[in-house]
Every structure is written in structure tokens, then in C-alpha cells.
Amino acid sequence: LLPAALRDGRARDAAARTPRTRSFVHLHVGLDASGLPPPSELGIHHIVVNSWERQIDAEDNALFVSIPSALDGSAAPAGHHAVHAYMPATEPYSRWARLDRRSVEYAALKEERARPLWDALERVVPDARARAVFSSVGSPLTHERYLNAEAGSYGPGWRAGEASFPGHRSALLANLWCVGASTFPGIGVPAVAGSAMACANTIAPVERHLALLDEMRAAGTLR
């Protein structure tokens, strides 16, 4: 869809220059909740830092443990909790790059790299391994395959104070607006949703949105 003048690779080259963060390993667990503290005590989100003497983005140093079922019981079957533990952008893709996802080596590496996540989870639920009724490990290759994230990247790596995000307006093509994690700080759904709202409000300010809603109400198309 690009005009002929832009088919010389400039758009592709600009995208390729976007720095990317490292990848991450996920651990998804279903826990038997029998005897566990009530959700208000168990907590929804925990950050485990193994050493405050090391950089926060050092490998296996900071790990996140999220228990969404502590907030919404429907996130897991009755009597159970759903857990998502993960490493935030500290896993090198190179460790995984040449592995076959169907190989014994790949399965063994997933088990090995999930250990720090199990250890973090056991800081919250000490007998988590014994309670687990289901577990699944996602690797950088999983992330790359299902989210189409190059090298399984956690997201764009623009660093505050060194560079800024490119923003929503394309520098190459008039009237082209861009949204997504590469245009807005953060990763995943929050960055995508935030960028979309920011872009929409730039094209049509909030006052215009409200006026359009009033027009729709007046026309009877919005109730």
C-alpha cells in the first residue's frame, strides 16, 4: 500500500532501527487453593527481587508473580488459583534461537529456566509445587511464535533520557498514523491501548468526541 517513492526500504529500515528489549520466560500454574490464605491476604501481584545489590534488570534477579484469581474468582475453577509468573525482559533470546520446539533439549531448557519462577512463586505460596494441578512454561520462542514478536522481544527498548518513542504520526507518509507498543512507552496490551487512545485523541480531540456523542444521542443512535 506504500507509494512507489517509499518502496525503497526506508520504512523497513526505520523499523529495524528500533531497539528491542530482551525476552522473557512465563510460568502458568493452576494451584489447589485448599488451606491458602483468603485472597485479601494472598495478594494479587508480587515482585520478588533476589538481590538489591544487583541491577534490577540482571538475569533472574527480578521476577513477577501475578494471581489474577485473587481479584476475580472466575479466573480459575472453584477451589483453585491461577498464577502467572514471569521474568521482565531479562531472558536472552540467543539461548533459545537455534532450538527445535519439539526437541528434548528444548523441553529440558524450559524446565531449567522455569526454576527461578517456581522459586519466586514459593516465596508467596511455599508449597506451590506440591499444590500444582497444572503448569505450563512459555519461552521466548513461544512469545515469538504466538505474538509475532521478533526475537521474542518483550517490547521496544527506547531508554528514557537517551531517545524518545517515535510517536504516532509517520515521518514518511502524510496522514498515516501509527499505534502499537513501538509508538508508546510500555509493553503489551497497556501500551497498545494507551497508544490507540492517544492517537485517537490527537486526530480528534476529546471535545470533538463529546460533540459526536451528543450528535448520536440527538439522532437516537446512542442510548
Side-chain angles (χ1 to χ4, degrees):
L1 296 177
L2 287 173
L6 290 180
R7 293 180 199 156
D8 58 4
R10 275 185 293 159
R12 208 165 31 248
D13 292 344
R17 287 194 297 273
T18 300
R20 59 174 178 250
T21 60
R22 283 172 286 175
S23 192
F24 57 134
V25 177
H26 306 260
L27 175 64
H28 297 274
V29 183
L31 293 179
D32 181 344
S34 305
L36 286 179
S40 59
E41 294 180 23
L42 184 61
I44 301 161
H45 199 69
H46 305 265
I47 301 175
V48 174
V49 178
N50 288 318
S51 173
W52 289 102
E53 304 304 315
R54 301 172 66 204
Q55 292 290 332
I56 200 70
D57 59 353
E59 189 172 307
D60 297 349
N61 194 31
L63 307 103
F64 292 177
V65 176
S66 180
I67 311 175
S69 51
L71 178 66
D72 179 358
S74 67
H80 295 79
H81 275 304
V83 176
H84 175 212
Y86 58 99
M87 305 169 181
T90 58
E91 182 71 6
Y93 179 77
S94 57
R95 178 177 284 151
W96 305 81
R98 293 176 177 79
L99 290 178
D100 183 333
R101 289 183 296 100
R102 295 171 291 276
S103 68
V104 173
E105 292 80 7
Y106 177 63
L109 184 58
K110 285 206 298 183
E111 183 176 350
E112 175 190 333
R113 295 302 299 137
R115 282 195 199 107
L117 293 169
W118 280 109
D119 292 344
L121 174 55
E122 288 185 332
R123 299 270 289 272
V124 181
V125 182
D127 57 348
R129 283 180 173 90
R131 289 178 173 275
V133 297
F134 168 85
S135 66
S136 178
V137 179
S139 76
L141 298 186
T142 312
H143 194 56
E144 180 180 49
R145 181 187 183 198
Y146 288 102
L147 294 185
N148 195 31
E150 186 176 3
S153 175
Y154 197 65
W158 303 104
R159 287 186 174 272
E162 296 178 7
S164 59
F165 278 72
H168 302 103
R169 192 188 293 271
S170 170
L172 299 174
L173 189 61
N175 300 320
L176 175 63
W177 297 77
C178 305
V179 297
S182 62
T183 68
F184 194 84
I187 57 93
V189 172
V192 172
S195 73
M197 288 188 287
C199 186
N201 286 334
T202 302
I203 295 171
V206 174
E207 291 78 9
R208 180 58 181 147
H209 289 188
L210 295 175
L212 287 170
L213 289 174
D214 288 341
E215 289 177 22
M216 294 170 69
R217 289 190 188 95
T221 56
L222 181 69
R223 294 179 175 83

